[in-house]
Amino acid sequence: MPRLHVNVDHVATLRQARREGFPDPLAFALECEQAGARGITCHLRLDRRHIQDEDVARLRAGIATLLNLECSLAEEILAIACGSGADAFCLVPESRQEVTTEGGLDVAGERARLAEAVPRLTEAGGLVSLFVDPDPHQLDAAREVGAPFVELHTGAYALARGAAREREFERLARAVEHARSIGLRVNAGHGLDEENVGPVASLEGIEELNIGFAIVAQSLFHGVGGAVERMLARIG
Ligand code: PXP
């Protein structure tokens, strides 16, 4: 069964909507940990639309589980990541217009920059993963640039319905198998919710699921602990 890591970005989205001091992503993270989350994830975007630099430092100092920092390849962000003390780094693509991370990294296209960033982040003390679509070419390229982990993008699976979802699920299943066969460790996330998480959680070989939006949204109705517990129950 994969571990649940909760992404707290959208607690900060709510706070930034009013430029208030609350709700606090750290307070939310601590309640998630109490309810059984095994790690906390946040994404320090270049545009700082949700998580701020001080959130990363406060999360690092305050949580008891693992901190996974999502970051782009922008130098400003990489420099902060290297000094953050995070336990893990997930490299993601980022564009200013997107509502959320839209697709996986083009690892082959970014090979040169990734071949520098991966050892740099590893030296800073974190396990590095690359956020990629469930595509064997991206997985092969991830292996070549030396990343120990990939995080498989589950967004297409989450958005698909009916037979299309079945196809996307098969793609994920094949990607997990391929990644493991070439020595990559595998996490997954994006768009997962209480309704669609079960099949992904049951795939043998996925170590960690990163789930944010659905848990933050469900916490409005069930409380933070309730939302985490409901998700854990569906993970199995
Ligand atoms: N994994 C990565 C790499 C992401 O960028 C995000 C979104 O920030 C997530 C997981 C979580 O996605 P969601 O908020 O849809 O659960």
Side-chain angles (χ1 to χ4, degrees):
M1 185 207 318
R3 299 184 307 270
L4 172 63
H5 284 214
V6 178
N7 180 314
V8 299
D9 291 351
H10 293 307
V11 181
T13 300
L14 190 56
R15 179 193 61 196
Q16 296 307 109
R18 287 289 174 93
R19 304 280 190 273
E20 281 287 357
F22 66 96
D24 176 11
L26 173 59
F28 189 93
L30 295 178
E31 288 203 32
C32 291
E33 287 184 325
Q34 264 198 335
R38 304 273 296 280
I40 300 299
T41 297
C42 68
H43 181 178
L44 184 69
R45 291 181 59 97
L46 203 51
D47 62 15
R48 306 302 200 278
R49 69 169 68 154
H50 38 54
I51 292 292
Q52 308 296 305
D53 300 40
E54 53 274 23
D55 292 323
V56 178
R58 291 180 65 245
L59 285 165
R60 171 63 300 168
I63 67 169
T65 58
L66 301 174
L67 178 64
N68 173 32
L69 180 60
E70 291 179 9
C71 38
S72 69
L73 284 165
E75 176 51 35
E76 178 188 330
I77 299 296
L78 283 178
I80 294 169
C82 284
S84 69
D87 302 287
F89 302 105
C90 181
L91 286 163
V92 300
E94 200 176 287
S95 80
R96 284 200 175 259
Q97 293 78 26
E98 68 192 357
V99 174
T100 180
T101 315
E102 278 169 357
L105 278 169
D106 175 11
V107 184
E110 294 279 12
R111 195 183 301 263
R113 291 209 296 164
L114 285 166
E116 269 184 37
V118 171
R120 190 172 158 198
L121 291 167
T122 306
E123 216 164 282
L127 286 169
V128 180
S129 72
L130 306 185
F131 187 50
V132 293
D133 292 326
D135 167 349
H137 303 295
Q138 296 296 345
L139 298 169
D140 292 338
R143 184 84 191 93
E144 282 166 30
V145 298
F149 274 92
V150 285
E151 179 173 328
L152 294 177
H153 194 322
T154 50
Y157 158 81
L159 287 175
R161 296 289 176 268
R165 177 172 286 183
E166 283 302 310
R167 282 196 298 277
E168 290 298 335
F169 180 71
E170 287 309 316
R171 271 182 85 204
L172 282 171
R174 283 196 300 275
V176 175
E177 225 171 89
H178 183 69
R180 306 272 300 169
S181 77
I182 57 174
L184 287 167
R185 296 173 70 183
V186 183
N187 300 327
H190 210 285
L192 295 176
D193 60 22
E194 292 179 6
E195 178 261 325
N196 64 29
V197 74
V200 177
S202 71
L203 285 172
E204 188 69 33
I206 296 184
E207 298 190 35
E208 168 190 311
L209 296 176
N210 280 294
I211 306 181
F213 182 78
I215 290 177
V216 174
Q218 289 290 4
S219 72
L220 296 174
F221 301 99
H222 304 288
V224 181
V228 171
E229 282 163 14
R230 286 167 64 94
M231 190 62 79
L232 284 171
R234 281 156 179 83
I235 289 172

